[in-house]
């Protein structure tokens, strides 16, 4: 038997703003955008190549979810965007306006830099050491 995490839910304030950020700014692809009725949509985005998990952009519903938008990781890096070309992707993300919180670092495990999404969630852009 084999298992994998296929989709991770991420609370967002607005579907369209989130789609714009993840698709236009980060370069992800829109996998699905289905109207579920009642103002709800099933919105899934994924990085190019679609290796690994994809993100379900879930519009916050209710006060508890709204206050969690941007802080689902409690201030820690929550997502790790793995790349095979750190320098190219880092430069492209900077050019598209992604906010990095640090200069790239080269650690024993690979090249890495922390960035934030449109809500302030922290991400690592990382190219593991071969």
């Amino acid at each position: 038997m084999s298992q994998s995490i296929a989709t991770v839910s991420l609370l967002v304030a607005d579907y369209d703003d989130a789609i714009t950020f993840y698709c236009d700014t980060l370069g992800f692809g829109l996998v699905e955008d289905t109207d579920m009725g009642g103002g709800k949509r099933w919105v899934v985005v994924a990085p190019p190549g679609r290796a690994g998990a994809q993100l379900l952009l879930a519009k916050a519903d209710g006060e508890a979810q709204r206050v969690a938008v941007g802080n689902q990781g409690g201030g820690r890096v929550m997502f790790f965007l793995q790349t095979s070309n750190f320098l190219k992707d880092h430069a492209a993300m900077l050019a598209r306006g992604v906010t990095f919180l640090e200069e790239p670092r080269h650690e024993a495990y690979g090249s890495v830099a922390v960035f934030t999404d449109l809500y302030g969630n922290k991400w690592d852009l990382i190219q593991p050491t071969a």
Side-chain angles (χ1 to χ4, degrees):
M1 182 172 82
S2 174
Q3 296 181 339
S4 65
I5 296 174
T7 306
V8 175
S9 180
L10 176 65
L11 290 171
V12 300
D14 180 84
Y15 291 119
D16 294 320
D17 290 346
I19 290 169
T20 297
F21 177 81
Y22 285 99
C23 293
D24 295 347
T25 305
L26 284 190
F28 286 19
L30 181 61
V31 176
E32 184 175 355
D33 185 355
T34 302
D35 187 338
M36 304 296 287
K40 294 189 183 233
R41 290 158 57 185
W42 184 262
V43 179
V44 179
V45 297
R50 294 187 56 186
Q54 50 192 9
L55 285 178
L56 170 67
L57 303 178
K59 186 174 179 182
D61 184 18
E63 186 60 23
Q65 289 182 17
R66 279 192 286 279
V67 299
V69 171
N71 194 32
Q72 286 178 247
R76 294 189 60 129
V77 170
M78 185 173 165
F79 297 103
F80 299 81
L81 181 58
Q82 188 168 309
T83 179
S84 61
N85 191 330
F86 180 88
L87 293 176
K88 178 183 172 193
D89 286 344
H90 182 263
M93 290 167 71
L94 281 172
R96 291 191 302 262
V98 173
T99 300
F100 280 86
L101 301 179
E102 63 183 10
E103 293 298 316
R105 294 179 281 124
H106 304 288
E107 306 288 349
Y109 54 83
S111 298
V112 63
V114 177
F115 69 93
T116 58
D117 67 15
L118 75 164
Y119 298 113
N121 294 301
K122 291 181 180 176
W123 289 66
D124 270 358
L125 175 65
I126 184 167
Q127 180 178 356
T129 303

